[in-house]
Amino acid sequence: MLTENRFTKYLMYALGEIILVVVGILIALQINNWNEQRKEQIREKKLLYSLKEDFQATKSNLLKSLDYYPELMERLEKQLSYLGYNNAQITETIKTQLTGTFFPNTKIFDGSLNVVLSSENLQLISNDSLKKYLTAYPSYLSSFKEQETDAKKLVLNEHRPILEHYFSLTDWYTRDGRDPDLASRTVPSDFVGLVNDRAFQNVLVKEIYHINYTFDEAETLLNRTNQFLEEIDKELNSGNP
Protein backbone atom coordinates (compact mmCIF):
# COMPACT_ATOMS: atom_id res chain seq x y z
CA MET A 1 0.00 0.00 0.00
CA LEU A 2 2.85 2.36 0.91
CA THR A 3 4.64 1.52 -2.31
CA GLU A 4 1.50 2.19 -4.29
CA ASN A 5 1.07 5.63 -2.67
CA ARG A 6 4.67 6.52 -3.46
CA PHE A 7 4.19 5.50 -7.08
CA THR A 8 1.05 7.62 -7.30
CA LYS A 9 2.83 10.65 -5.84
CA TYR A 10 5.74 10.14 -8.22
CA LEU A 11 3.37 9.85 -11.17
CA MET A 12 1.55 13.02 -10.19
CA TYR A 13 4.85 14.84 -9.77
CA ALA A 14 6.05 13.61 -13.16
CA LEU A 15 2.83 14.64 -14.83
CA GLY A 16 3.11 18.07 -13.24
CA GLU A 17 6.63 18.47 -14.53
CA ILE A 18 5.55 17.41 -18.00
CA ILE A 19 2.67 19.87 -17.94
CA LEU A 20 5.00 22.68 -16.85
CA VAL A 21 7.44 21.83 -19.64
CA VAL A 22 4.66 21.69 -22.26
CA VAL A 23 3.19 24.99 -21.03
CA GLY A 24 6.66 26.54 -21.15
CA ILE A 25 7.19 25.32 -24.69
CA LEU A 26 3.78 26.61 -25.79
CA ILE A 27 4.47 30.00 -24.24
CA ALA A 28 7.89 30.14 -25.93
CA LEU A 29 6.34 29.21 -29.27
CA GLN A 30 3.64 31.85 -28.82
CA ILE A 31 6.24 34.51 -28.00
CA ASN A 32 8.32 33.43 -30.98
CA ASN A 33 5.27 33.58 -33.28
CA TRP A 34 4.39 37.01 -31.91
CA ASN A 35 7.93 38.22 -32.53
CA GLU A 36 7.89 36.85 -36.08
CA GLN A 37 4.54 38.51 -36.78
CA ARG A 38 5.86 41.79 -35.43
CA LYS A 39 8.96 41.51 -37.62
CA GLU A 40 6.75 40.89 -40.66
CA GLN A 41 4.59 43.88 -39.77
CA ILE A 42 7.68 46.07 -39.53
CA ARG A 43 8.92 44.75 -42.90
CA GLU A 44 5.48 45.43 -44.37
CA LYS A 45 5.56 49.02 -43.09
CA LYS A 46 8.99 49.61 -44.63
CA LEU A 47 7.77 48.14 -47.90
CA LEU A 48 4.68 50.34 -47.87
CA TYR A 49 6.74 53.47 -47.24
CA SER A 50 9.02 52.56 -50.18
CA LEU A 51 6.00 52.01 -52.42
CA LYS A 52 4.45 55.28 -51.26
CA GLU A 53 7.63 57.19 -52.04
CA ASP A 54 7.80 55.77 -55.57
CA PHE A 55 4.11 56.31 -56.26
CA GLN A 56 4.25 59.90 -55.02
CA ALA A 57 7.19 60.58 -57.34
CA THR A 58 5.29 59.01 -60.23
CA LYS A 59 2.21 61.06 -59.39
CA SER A 60 4.27 64.27 -59.41
CA ASN A 61 5.69 63.46 -62.86
CA LEU A 62 2.29 62.50 -64.24
CA LEU A 63 0.88 65.85 -63.12
CA LYS A 64 3.76 67.64 -64.87
CA SER A 65 3.12 65.67 -68.07
CA LEU A 66 -0.61 66.39 -67.93
CA ASP A 67 0.29 70.09 -67.77
CA TYR A 68 2.75 69.68 -70.65
CA TYR A 69 0.47 67.78 -73.07
CA PRO A 70 -1.85 70.75 -73.78
CA GLU A 71 1.21 72.91 -74.44
CA LEU A 72 2.51 70.26 -76.82
CA MET A 73 -0.85 70.09 -78.55
CA GLU A 74 -0.83 73.87 -78.98
CA ARG A 75 2.62 73.77 -80.64
CA LEU A 76 1.53 71.05 -83.05
CA GLU A 77 -1.68 72.88 -83.92
CA LYS A 78 0.36 76.03 -84.49
CA GLN A 79 2.58 74.13 -86.96
CA LEU A 80 -0.55 72.75 -88.59
CA SER A 81 -1.84 76.30 -89.12
CA TYR A 82 1.16 77.10 -91.36
CA LEU A 83 0.31 74.44 -93.94
CA GLY A 84 0.06 75.87 -97.44
CA TYR A 85 1.98 79.06 -96.62
CA ASN A 86 4.07 80.65 -99.36
CA ASN A 87 7.56 82.05 -99.03
CA ALA A 88 6.37 85.58 -98.30
CA GLN A 89 4.24 84.36 -95.38
CA ILE A 90 6.95 82.30 -93.69
CA THR A 91 8.76 84.55 -91.22
CA GLU A 92 11.87 83.72 -89.23
CA THR A 93 9.69 83.08 -86.18
CA ILE A 94 7.58 80.61 -88.15
CA LYS A 95 10.71 78.87 -89.41
CA THR A 96 11.86 78.39 -85.83
CA GLN A 97 8.47 77.01 -84.84
CA LEU A 98 8.36 74.63 -87.79
CA THR A 99 11.72 73.07 -86.93
CA GLY A 100 10.72 72.27 -83.35
CA THR A 101 9.92 68.65 -82.49
CA PHE A 102 8.63 67.55 -79.13
CA PHE A 103 7.65 64.34 -77.42
CA PRO A 104 6.56 63.46 -73.88
CA ASN A 105 8.92 61.57 -71.61
CA THR A 106 7.39 60.84 -68.21
CA LYS A 107 9.69 59.33 -65.61
CA ILE A 108 7.97 56.44 -63.84
CA PHE A 109 9.28 55.16 -60.50
CA ASP A 110 8.41 51.47 -60.31
CA GLY A 111 11.46 49.96 -58.60
CA SER A 112 9.67 49.12 -55.35
CA LEU A 113 6.69 47.76 -57.25
CA ASN A 114 8.90 45.43 -59.27
CA VAL A 115 10.62 44.20 -56.11
CA VAL A 116 7.26 43.39 -54.51
CA LEU A 117 5.78 41.65 -57.54
CA SER A 118 8.90 39.65 -58.41
CA SER A 119 9.45 38.15 -54.95
CA GLU A 120 7.69 36.71 -51.91
CA ASN A 121 7.33 40.25 -50.56
CA LEU A 122 3.79 40.38 -51.95
CA GLN A 123 2.80 37.98 -49.16
CA LEU A 124 3.86 40.61 -46.62
CA ILE A 125 1.01 42.85 -47.75
CA SER A 126 -1.82 41.98 -45.38
CA ASN A 127 -4.42 44.29 -46.94
CA ASP A 128 -6.26 42.47 -49.73
CA SER A 129 -7.26 45.74 -51.41
CA LEU A 130 -3.62 46.77 -51.61
CA LYS A 131 -2.70 43.44 -53.14
CA LYS A 132 -5.43 43.94 -55.71
CA TYR A 133 -4.13 47.38 -56.68
CA LEU A 134 -0.54 46.15 -56.75
CA THR A 135 -1.24 43.27 -59.11
CA ALA A 136 -3.51 45.36 -61.38
CA TYR A 137 -1.32 48.47 -61.56
CA PRO A 138 1.29 47.10 -64.03
CA SER A 139 -1.35 46.75 -66.76
CA TYR A 140 -2.27 50.44 -66.52
CA LEU A 141 1.40 51.36 -66.33
CA SER A 142 2.17 49.28 -69.41
CA SER A 143 -0.65 50.89 -71.42
CA PHE A 144 0.61 54.37 -70.56
CA LYS A 145 4.26 53.57 -71.30
CA GLU A 146 3.34 51.97 -74.61
CA GLN A 147 1.28 54.97 -75.70
CA GLU A 148 3.96 57.46 -74.72
CA THR A 149 6.64 55.36 -76.44
CA ASP A 150 4.55 55.30 -79.64
CA ALA A 151 4.32 59.10 -79.55
CA LYS A 152 8.09 59.35 -79.14
CA LYS A 153 8.74 56.90 -81.99
CA LEU A 154 6.45 58.91 -84.25
CA VAL A 155 8.59 62.00 -83.70
CA LEU A 156 11.93 60.22 -84.05
CA ASN A 157 11.07 57.89 -86.93
CA GLU A 158 8.71 60.02 -89.04
CA HIS A 159 8.63 63.69 -88.07
CA ARG A 160 12.37 64.36 -87.79
CA PRO A 161 13.32 62.57 -91.03
CA ILE A 162 10.82 64.77 -92.89
CA LEU A 163 12.36 67.90 -91.34
CA GLU A 164 15.85 66.74 -92.24
CA HIS A 165 14.73 66.44 -95.87
CA TYR A 166 13.71 70.09 -96.03
CA PHE A 167 15.81 71.80 -93.36
CA SER A 168 19.48 72.55 -93.97
CA LEU A 169 21.66 72.58 -90.87
CA THR A 170 24.09 74.84 -92.70
CA ASP A 171 21.46 77.58 -92.43
CA TRP A 172 22.01 77.42 -88.68
CA TYR A 173 25.78 76.99 -88.99
CA THR A 174 26.26 80.03 -91.23
CA ARG A 175 23.86 82.32 -89.38
CA ASP A 176 25.07 85.73 -88.23
CA GLY A 177 27.38 85.98 -91.26
CA ARG A 178 29.58 83.03 -90.35
CA ASP A 179 31.47 81.62 -93.36
CA PRO A 180 29.63 83.53 -96.14
CA ASP A 181 31.46 81.57 -98.82
CA LEU A 182 30.05 78.30 -97.45
CA ALA A 183 26.61 79.86 -97.16
CA SER A 184 26.67 80.73 -100.87
CA ARG A 185 27.41 77.13 -101.87
CA THR A 186 25.03 75.13 -99.68
CA VAL A 187 21.53 73.93 -100.43
CA PRO A 188 19.16 76.17 -98.44
CA SER A 189 16.20 75.03 -96.40
CA ASP A 190 12.90 74.64 -98.23
CA PHE A 191 10.17 75.68 -95.80
CA VAL A 192 7.63 76.19 -98.58
CA GLY A 193 8.18 72.58 -99.63
CA LEU A 194 7.85 71.48 -96.00
CA VAL A 195 4.49 73.12 -95.33
CA ASN A 196 3.16 71.78 -98.63
CA ASP A 197 4.34 68.22 -98.05
CA ARG A 198 1.57 65.66 -97.46
CA ALA A 199 3.79 63.51 -95.24
CA PHE A 200 4.48 66.50 -93.00
CA GLN A 201 0.78 67.29 -92.80
CA ASN A 202 -0.04 63.70 -91.91
CA VAL A 203 2.60 63.33 -89.23
CA LEU A 204 1.37 66.47 -87.45
CA VAL A 205 -2.17 65.10 -87.36
CA LYS A 206 -0.94 61.71 -86.16
CA GLU A 207 1.06 63.34 -83.37
CA ILE A 208 -1.99 65.30 -82.23
CA TYR A 209 -4.03 62.11 -82.00
CA HIS A 210 -1.21 60.30 -80.20
CA ILE A 211 -0.89 63.08 -77.63
CA ASN A 212 -4.65 62.95 -77.05
CA TYR A 213 -4.47 59.20 -76.44
CA THR A 214 -1.43 59.64 -74.20
CA PHE A 215 -3.26 62.29 -72.19
CA ASP A 216 -6.15 59.87 -71.58
CA GLU A 217 -3.78 57.07 -70.52
CA ALA A 218 -1.94 59.45 -68.18
CA GLU A 219 -5.20 60.49 -66.52
CA THR A 220 -6.20 56.85 -66.03
CA LEU A 221 -2.81 56.01 -64.55
CA LEU A 222 -2.97 59.06 -62.28
CA ASN A 223 -6.38 57.99 -60.96
CA ARG A 224 -5.06 54.50 -60.21
CA THR A 225 -2.00 55.98 -58.54
CA ASN A 226 -4.17 58.17 -56.32
CA GLN A 227 -6.31 55.19 -55.35
CA PHE A 228 -3.25 53.20 -54.46
CA LEU A 229 -1.80 56.04 -52.36
CA GLU A 230 -5.10 56.33 -50.47
CA GLU A 231 -5.02 52.62 -49.64
CA ILE A 232 -1.40 52.88 -48.49
CA ASP A 233 -2.22 55.81 -46.20
CA LYS A 234 -5.13 53.88 -44.69
CA GLU A 235 -2.87 50.94 -43.94
CA LEU A 236 -0.04 53.08 -42.56
CA ASN A 237 -2.50 54.94 -40.30
CA SER A 238 -4.22 51.76 -39.12
CA GLY A 239 -2.21 51.68 -35.89
CA ASN A 240 -0.26 48.53 -36.66
CA PRO A 241 3.50 48.58 -35.88
Side-chain angles (χ1 to χ4, degrees), residues 72 75-76 79 93-103 155 159-160 163 167 191 194 200 204 207:
L72 181 53
R75 292 178 182 179
L76 290 169
Q79 291 182 346
T93 298
I94 291 176
K95 290 178 181 179
T96 300
Q97 292 173 343
L98 285 171
T99 55
T101 57
F102 324 92
F103 54 81
V155 173
H159 192 152
R160 287 188 178 176
L163 285 181
F167 177 65
F191 286 99
L194 176 66
F200 180 63
L204 292 178
E207 283 184 56

Side-chain angles (χ1 to χ4, degrees), residues 65-80:
S65 291
L66 286 168
D67 285 339
Y68 174 63
Y69 294 148
E71 178 185 338
L72 181 53
M73 289 280 294
E74 185 178 346
R75 292 178 182 179
L76 290 169
E77 289 170 350
K78 177 66 72 173
Q79 291 182 346
L80 204 61

